[in-house]
Amino acid sequence: MNTVRIRDVAPRLTFQAQPATTEQKVELVDRLTAAGITAVEVSSFVRPDLVPGLADAAEVFARVQRPAGVSLECCIGNQSGLVRAVDAGAHKASFLLSADEEFSRNNTGRSIDESLAVLERLRAEADGTGTTVGTYLIFAWGGPLGTPRRPEDLEPLLRRLREIGVDDWILADSCGYASPVQIRETVAFAAEINVMDKLTVQVHDSRGMGVANVAELARMGLRNIDTSLAGAGGHPAVPGARAGGVCTEDAVQLLERSDVDTGVDLNALIDAANWFDEILGGGEGGFVRRTGAVPRTAADVDPRRGAFAWSR
Protein backbone atom coordinates (compact mmCIF):
# COMPACT_ATOMS: atom_id res chain seq x y z
CA MET A 1 0.00 0.00 0.00
CA ASN A 2 1.26 3.48 -0.89
CA THR A 3 1.34 6.15 1.79
CA VAL A 4 0.62 9.89 1.72
CA ARG A 5 1.23 12.39 4.50
CA ILE A 6 -1.65 14.83 4.69
CA ARG A 7 -0.72 18.23 6.11
CA ASP A 8 -3.75 20.27 7.15
CA VAL A 9 -3.46 24.02 6.61
CA ALA A 10 -6.95 25.03 7.78
CA PRO A 11 -5.80 26.72 11.02
CA ARG A 12 -3.63 29.19 9.13
CA LEU A 13 -5.60 29.46 5.90
CA THR A 14 -8.94 30.04 7.63
CA PHE A 15 -8.08 32.28 10.54
CA GLN A 16 -6.01 34.68 8.46
CA ALA A 17 -9.35 35.74 6.97
CA GLN A 18 -12.10 34.70 9.43
CA PRO A 19 -12.39 35.57 13.13
CA ALA A 20 -12.23 32.95 15.88
CA THR A 21 -11.19 32.73 19.49
CA THR A 22 -7.83 31.39 20.58
CA GLU A 23 -9.67 28.52 22.27
CA GLN A 24 -11.31 27.55 18.97
CA LYS A 25 -7.98 27.66 17.16
CA VAL A 26 -6.37 25.42 19.77
CA GLU A 27 -9.29 22.98 19.63
CA LEU A 28 -9.07 22.80 15.85
CA VAL A 29 -5.39 21.84 15.93
CA ASP A 30 -6.01 19.32 18.71
CA ARG A 31 -8.93 17.74 16.84
CA LEU A 32 -6.77 17.37 13.73
CA THR A 33 -3.87 15.72 15.53
CA ALA A 34 -6.24 13.48 17.52
CA ALA A 35 -7.68 12.27 14.18
CA GLY A 36 -4.21 11.21 13.05
CA ILE A 37 -3.07 14.24 11.03
CA THR A 38 0.69 14.30 11.54
CA ALA A 39 1.48 17.77 10.16
CA VAL A 40 -0.53 20.93 10.81
CA GLU A 41 0.09 24.50 9.73
CA VAL A 42 -0.88 26.05 13.03
CA SER A 43 -0.54 29.76 12.22
CA SER A 44 1.65 32.47 10.70
CA PHE A 45 4.10 34.79 12.41
CA VAL A 46 3.34 37.90 10.40
CA ARG A 47 2.50 41.52 11.16
CA PRO A 48 -0.60 41.57 13.40
CA ASP A 49 -1.72 44.93 12.02
CA LEU A 50 -1.99 43.35 8.56
CA VAL A 51 -3.30 39.92 9.61
CA PRO A 52 -4.96 40.46 13.01
CA GLY A 53 -6.61 37.04 12.93
CA LEU A 54 -3.23 35.40 13.52
CA ALA A 55 -1.95 37.80 16.19
CA ASP A 56 -2.27 35.05 18.82
CA ALA A 57 0.02 32.61 16.97
CA ALA A 58 2.46 32.26 19.88
CA GLU A 59 -0.35 31.56 22.35
CA VAL A 60 -1.87 28.93 20.06
CA PHE A 61 1.50 27.19 19.74
CA ALA A 62 1.92 27.29 23.53
CA ARG A 63 -1.46 25.70 24.20
CA VAL A 64 -1.88 22.98 21.59
CA GLN A 65 -1.14 19.34 22.30
CA ARG A 66 2.17 18.06 20.96
CA PRO A 67 1.75 14.35 20.23
CA ALA A 68 4.88 12.41 19.34
CA GLY A 69 5.53 12.34 15.62
CA VAL A 70 3.41 15.41 14.84
CA SER A 71 4.98 18.40 13.06
CA LEU A 72 3.55 21.77 14.11
CA GLU A 73 4.34 24.31 11.43
CA CYS A 74 3.87 27.96 10.47
CA CYS A 75 4.46 30.62 7.83
CA ILE A 76 6.95 33.46 8.06
CA GLY A 77 7.89 36.42 5.91
CA ASN A 78 10.97 37.90 7.56
CA GLN A 79 13.59 37.58 10.28
CA SER A 80 11.23 38.69 13.04
CA GLY A 81 8.80 35.97 12.04
CA LEU A 82 11.55 33.36 12.19
CA VAL A 83 12.59 34.45 15.71
CA ARG A 84 8.99 34.21 16.89
CA ALA A 85 8.56 30.80 15.25
CA VAL A 86 11.70 29.46 16.93
CA ASP A 87 10.62 30.85 20.30
CA ALA A 88 7.21 29.18 19.86
CA GLY A 89 8.78 25.79 19.16
CA ALA A 90 7.57 25.49 15.58
CA HIS A 91 9.04 22.42 13.91
CA LYS A 92 9.05 24.06 10.49
CA ALA A 93 8.63 27.60 9.19
CA SER A 94 7.71 28.09 5.54
CA PHE A 95 8.71 31.35 3.88
CA LEU A 96 5.99 33.03 1.83
CA LEU A 97 7.60 33.25 -1.60
CA SER A 98 5.44 34.19 -4.56
CA ALA A 99 5.91 33.09 -8.16
CA ASP A 100 3.99 36.22 -9.17
CA GLU A 101 6.11 39.39 -9.20
CA GLU A 102 3.25 41.85 -8.76
CA PHE A 103 1.75 39.92 -5.85
CA SER A 104 5.18 39.67 -4.22
CA ARG A 105 5.65 43.42 -4.29
CA ASN A 106 2.11 44.13 -3.08
CA ASN A 107 2.16 41.49 -0.35
CA THR A 108 5.63 42.01 1.14
CA GLY A 109 7.02 45.12 -0.53
CA ARG A 110 9.82 43.03 -2.03
CA SER A 111 10.59 41.72 -5.49
CA ILE A 112 11.05 37.98 -6.00
CA ASP A 113 14.84 38.45 -6.12
CA GLU A 114 14.79 40.45 -2.90
CA SER A 115 12.63 37.77 -1.27
CA LEU A 116 15.11 35.08 -2.28
CA ALA A 117 17.89 37.04 -0.60
CA VAL A 118 15.84 37.22 2.61
CA LEU A 119 15.08 33.50 2.42
CA GLU A 120 18.77 32.65 2.02
CA ARG A 121 19.58 34.57 5.22
CA LEU A 122 16.71 32.97 7.13
CA ARG A 123 17.78 29.47 6.16
CA ALA A 124 21.25 30.14 7.53
CA GLU A 125 19.90 31.73 10.72
CA ALA A 126 17.64 28.75 11.41
CA ASP A 127 20.52 26.26 11.50
CA GLY A 128 20.73 24.68 14.93
CA THR A 129 17.53 26.22 16.27
CA GLY A 130 15.32 23.14 15.95
CA THR A 131 13.11 24.93 13.41
CA THR A 132 13.56 23.97 9.76
CA VAL A 133 13.07 26.65 7.11
CA GLY A 134 11.39 25.71 3.86
CA THR A 135 9.50 27.78 1.36
CA TYR A 136 6.13 28.19 -0.21
CA LEU A 137 5.90 28.90 -3.89
CA ILE A 138 2.45 30.44 -4.06
CA PHE A 139 0.69 30.81 -7.42
CA ALA A 140 2.92 28.06 -8.79
CA TRP A 141 0.27 27.24 -11.41
CA GLY A 142 -0.69 30.87 -12.05
CA GLY A 143 -2.66 33.74 -10.61
CA PRO A 144 -3.90 35.78 -8.96
CA LEU A 145 -4.48 38.00 -11.99
CA GLY A 146 -2.43 36.37 -14.71
CA THR A 147 -2.93 33.39 -16.96
CA PRO A 148 -1.83 29.83 -16.06
CA ARG A 149 1.88 29.35 -15.51
CA ARG A 150 3.84 26.71 -17.45
CA PRO A 151 6.41 24.50 -15.71
CA GLU A 152 9.31 26.04 -17.59
CA ASP A 153 8.27 29.49 -16.32
CA LEU A 154 9.30 28.33 -12.85
CA GLU A 155 12.73 27.01 -13.81
CA PRO A 156 14.86 30.06 -12.90
CA LEU A 157 13.15 30.36 -9.53
CA LEU A 158 13.44 26.65 -8.72
CA ARG A 159 17.10 26.53 -9.67
CA ARG A 160 17.78 29.61 -7.55
CA LEU A 161 16.16 27.88 -4.55
CA ARG A 162 18.54 24.96 -4.95
CA GLU A 163 21.48 27.36 -5.18
CA ILE A 164 20.64 28.98 -1.84
CA GLY A 165 20.21 25.61 -0.16
CA VAL A 166 16.42 25.56 0.25
CA ASP A 167 15.00 22.28 -1.01
CA ASP A 168 11.81 21.91 1.08
CA TRP A 169 9.19 23.31 -1.30
CA ILE A 170 5.43 23.74 -1.02
CA LEU A 171 4.05 24.26 -4.52
CA ALA A 172 0.68 25.94 -4.03
CA ASP A 173 -2.08 26.04 -6.62
CA SER A 174 -3.31 29.14 -4.82
CA CYS A 175 -6.02 30.05 -7.32
CA GLY A 176 -7.08 26.55 -8.32
CA TYR A 177 -5.89 26.94 -11.93
CA ALA A 178 -4.48 23.43 -12.33
CA SER A 179 -6.17 20.35 -13.73
CA PRO A 180 -4.56 16.91 -13.26
CA VAL A 181 -2.63 17.43 -16.50
CA GLN A 182 -0.98 20.62 -15.24
CA ILE A 183 -0.43 19.12 -11.79
CA ARG A 184 1.44 16.19 -13.33
CA GLU A 185 3.53 18.35 -15.68
CA THR A 186 4.68 20.84 -13.03
CA VAL A 187 5.42 18.28 -10.31
CA ALA A 188 7.38 16.12 -12.74
CA PHE A 189 9.33 19.20 -13.86
CA ALA A 190 10.07 20.26 -10.26
CA ALA A 191 11.17 16.71 -9.37
CA GLU A 192 13.86 16.90 -12.07
CA ILE A 193 15.39 19.90 -10.26
CA ASN A 194 14.70 18.74 -6.70
CA VAL A 195 13.60 15.28 -5.47
CA MET A 196 10.01 14.12 -5.11
CA ASP A 197 10.23 13.52 -1.36
CA LYS A 198 11.13 17.18 -0.80
CA LEU A 199 8.02 18.41 -2.63
CA THR A 200 4.64 19.21 -1.11
CA VAL A 201 1.70 20.27 -3.23
CA GLN A 202 -0.97 22.44 -1.67
CA VAL A 203 -4.22 21.71 -3.48
CA HIS A 204 -6.87 24.41 -3.65
CA ASP A 205 -10.38 23.81 -4.88
CA SER A 206 -11.44 27.22 -6.19
CA ARG A 207 -12.54 25.72 -9.49
CA GLY A 208 -13.64 22.24 -8.41
CA MET A 209 -10.58 20.30 -9.59
CA GLY A 210 -9.06 19.66 -6.18
CA VAL A 211 -10.02 16.05 -5.51
CA ALA A 212 -9.02 15.05 -9.05
CA ASN A 213 -5.65 16.69 -8.46
CA VAL A 214 -5.18 14.76 -5.21
CA ALA A 215 -5.82 11.54 -7.13
CA GLU A 216 -3.23 12.50 -9.75
CA LEU A 217 -0.62 13.33 -7.11
CA ALA A 218 -1.17 9.95 -5.45
CA ARG A 219 -0.79 8.21 -8.82
CA MET A 220 2.53 10.03 -9.31
CA GLY A 221 3.76 8.82 -5.94
CA LEU A 222 3.91 12.24 -4.26
CA ARG A 223 4.13 11.67 -0.51
CA ASN A 224 3.15 15.12 0.82
CA ILE A 225 -0.17 16.83 0.10
CA ASP A 226 -1.66 19.94 1.74
CA THR A 227 -5.42 20.09 2.32
CA SER A 228 -7.84 22.08 4.47
CA LEU A 229 -10.50 20.71 6.82
CA ALA A 230 -14.02 21.31 5.43
CA GLY A 231 -12.44 23.15 2.49
CA ALA A 232 -12.06 26.23 4.68
CA GLY A 233 -9.80 29.17 3.96
CA GLY A 234 -9.47 32.65 2.58
CA HIS A 235 -7.15 35.59 2.13
CA PRO A 236 -7.52 38.96 3.86
CA ALA A 237 -6.73 40.77 0.61
CA VAL A 238 -9.66 39.15 -1.21
CA PRO A 239 -12.54 38.92 1.29
CA GLY A 240 -15.39 36.71 0.15
CA ALA A 241 -13.35 34.89 -2.50
CA ARG A 242 -13.42 31.08 -2.47
CA ALA A 243 -9.82 30.43 -1.51
CA GLY A 244 -9.98 27.27 0.58
CA GLY A 245 -7.93 24.17 0.17
CA VAL A 246 -9.42 20.92 -1.03
CA CYS A 247 -11.38 19.30 1.82
CA THR A 248 -9.15 17.14 3.98
CA GLU A 249 -11.92 14.66 4.67
CA ASP A 250 -12.76 14.31 0.97
CA ALA A 251 -9.09 13.82 0.11
CA VAL A 252 -8.66 11.18 2.83
CA GLN A 253 -11.76 9.32 1.64
CA LEU A 254 -10.45 9.33 -1.94
CA LEU A 255 -7.01 8.10 -0.91
CA GLU A 256 -8.44 5.42 1.37
CA ARG A 257 -10.67 4.13 -1.45
CA SER A 258 -7.59 4.10 -3.71
CA ASP A 259 -5.57 1.88 -1.35
CA VAL A 260 -3.38 4.76 -0.21
CA ASP A 261 -2.66 4.88 3.51
CA THR A 262 -2.91 8.25 5.29
CA GLY A 263 -2.99 6.99 8.88
CA VAL A 264 -6.02 9.21 9.50
CA ASP A 265 -9.20 8.23 11.36
CA LEU A 266 -11.77 9.36 8.79
CA ASN A 267 -14.74 9.30 11.16
CA ALA A 268 -12.90 11.47 13.68
CA LEU A 269 -11.95 13.80 10.84
CA ILE A 270 -15.60 14.04 9.71
CA ASP A 271 -16.63 14.93 13.26
CA ALA A 272 -13.95 17.62 13.34
CA ALA A 273 -15.06 18.99 9.95
CA ASN A 274 -18.69 19.26 11.03
CA TRP A 275 -17.68 20.97 14.28
CA PHE A 276 -15.47 23.36 12.31
CA ASP A 277 -18.27 24.17 9.89
CA GLU A 278 -20.55 25.02 12.80
CA ILE A 279 -18.13 27.47 14.41
CA LEU A 280 -17.54 29.14 11.03
CA GLY A 281 -21.25 29.65 10.44
CA GLY A 282 -22.25 26.65 8.37
CA GLY A 283 -21.02 27.67 4.93
CA GLU A 284 -18.00 25.46 4.35
CA GLY A 285 -17.60 22.87 1.60
CA GLY A 286 -17.14 19.16 1.29
CA PHE A 287 -19.12 16.01 0.53
CA VAL A 288 -17.97 13.25 2.87
CA ARG A 289 -18.89 15.07 6.07
CA ARG A 290 -22.46 15.49 4.80
CA THR A 291 -23.03 11.98 3.47
CA GLY A 292 -20.73 9.91 5.70
CA ALA A 293 -17.79 7.74 4.77
CA VAL A 294 -18.24 4.83 2.38
CA PRO A 295 -19.07 1.91 4.71
CA ARG A 296 -16.34 -0.67 5.18
CA THR A 297 -18.64 -3.42 6.48
CA ALA A 298 -22.37 -4.04 6.76
CA ALA A 299 -22.18 -2.85 10.38
CA ASP A 300 -21.09 0.57 9.14
CA VAL A 301 -24.23 1.16 7.05
CA ASP A 302 -26.41 3.92 8.48
CA PRO A 303 -29.75 2.23 9.36
CA ARG A 304 -31.55 5.56 9.11
CA ARG A 305 -31.20 5.46 5.36
CA GLY A 306 -33.30 2.28 5.25
CA ALA A 307 -34.18 0.11 2.30
CA PHE A 308 -36.20 1.50 -0.58
CA ALA A 309 -39.40 -0.10 -1.80
CA TRP A 310 -41.96 1.25 -4.26
CA SER A 311 -45.29 1.92 -2.61
CA ARG A 312 -48.23 0.09 -4.19
Side-chain angles (χ1 to χ4, degrees):
M1 179 179 281
N2 294 327
T3 60
V4 163
R5 184 196 72 155
I6 293 290
R7 189 180 79 124
D8 198 292
V9 299
R12 190 272 302 176
L13 193 63
T14 305
F15 299 133
Q16 69 181 8
Q18 295 176 255
T21 66
T22 301
E23 289 73 18
Q24 289 169 332
K25 297 172 187 178
V26 171
E27 183 170 354
L28 172 59
V29 175
D30 287 348
R31 280 176 175 263
L32 288 167
T33 58
I37 297 291
T38 58
V40 180
E41 193 169 69
V42 174
S43 194
S44 289
F45 290 98
V46 291
R47 284 175 50 181
D49 59 324
L50 296 180
V51 191
L54 301 181
D56 59 353
E59 185 177 358
V60 175
F61 265 94
R63 291 173 55 182
V64 296
Q65 298 294 315
R66 291 177 173 259
V70 170
S71 182
L72 300 176
E73 305 180 2
C74 65
C75 296
I76 58 170
N78 53 31
Q79 196 264 348
S80 172
L82 175 60
V83 169
R84 293 164 62 199
V86 171
D87 289 345
H91 297 111
K92 185 170 83 169
S94 296
F95 184 75
L96 292 166
L97 178 66
S98 174
D100 184 89
E101 184 72 47
E102 182 179 359
F103 185 88
S104 180
R105 292 181 182 277
N106 290 339
N107 190 46
T108 66
R110 297 187 299 256
S111 68
I112 292 174
D113 283 343
E114 290 167 338
S115 294
L116 285 166
V118 172
L119 174 57
E120 185 173 15
R121 292 195 298 272
L122 296 182
R123 186 209 59 75
E125 290 175 14
D127 284 349
T129 64
T131 299
T132 300
V133 168
T135 190
Y136 265 95
L137 189 55
I138 57 178
F139 308 114
W141 279 268
L145 299 176
T147 56
R149 188 165 280 112
R150 299 168 301 176
E152 54 267 30
D153 296 334
L154 297 173
E155 183 171 6
L157 186 49
L158 299 183
R159 294 201 181 281
R160 180 64 181 135
L161 287 171
R162 291 306 307 271
E163 289 171 5
I164 66 175
V166 176
D167 60 2
D168 191 333
W169 304 345
I170 303 167
L171 306 178
D173 184 20
S174 313
C175 291
Y177 276 16
S179 76
V181 172
Q182 288 84 51
I183 285 285
R184 181 175 63 252
E185 291 173 348
T186 295
V187 171
F189 185 86
E192 292 178 0
I193 297 173
N194 201 342
V195 294
M196 190 77 89
D197 283 350
K198 290 290 188 177
L199 302 180
T200 298
V201 173
Q202 186 168 113
V203 182
H204 287 246
D205 206 24
S206 309
R207 290 169 169 81
M209 296 182 282
V211 173
N213 288 339
V214 169
E216 185 63 29
L217 291 168
R219 277 193 291 268
M220 293 185 71
L222 188 81
R223 301 294 188 186
N224 304 296
I225 301 176
D226 280 3
T227 63
S228 179
L229 191 71
H235 194 283
V238 283
R242 184 173 177 81
V246 66
C247 292
T248 303
E249 61 278 13
D250 289 357
V252 169
Q253 174 78 103
L254 167 76
L255 293 168
E256 184 178 275
R257 296 289 295 161
S258 304
D259 290 329
V260 176
D261 180 30
T262 63
V264 176
D265 181 336
L266 181 55
N267 288 324
L269 198 64
I270 289 170
D271 288 343
N274 284 325
W275 166 83
F276 194 36
D277 181 54
E278 287 179 9
I279 73 164
L280 294 178
E284 302 311 310
F287 292 93
V288 176
R289 68 180 183 83
R290 303 173 193 272
T291 60
V294 174
R296 293 172 179 266
T297 68
D300 297 327
V301 176
D302 186 347
R304 293 171 297 178
R305 299 191 182 277
F308 179 78
W310 290 105
S311 58
R312 298 295 183 183

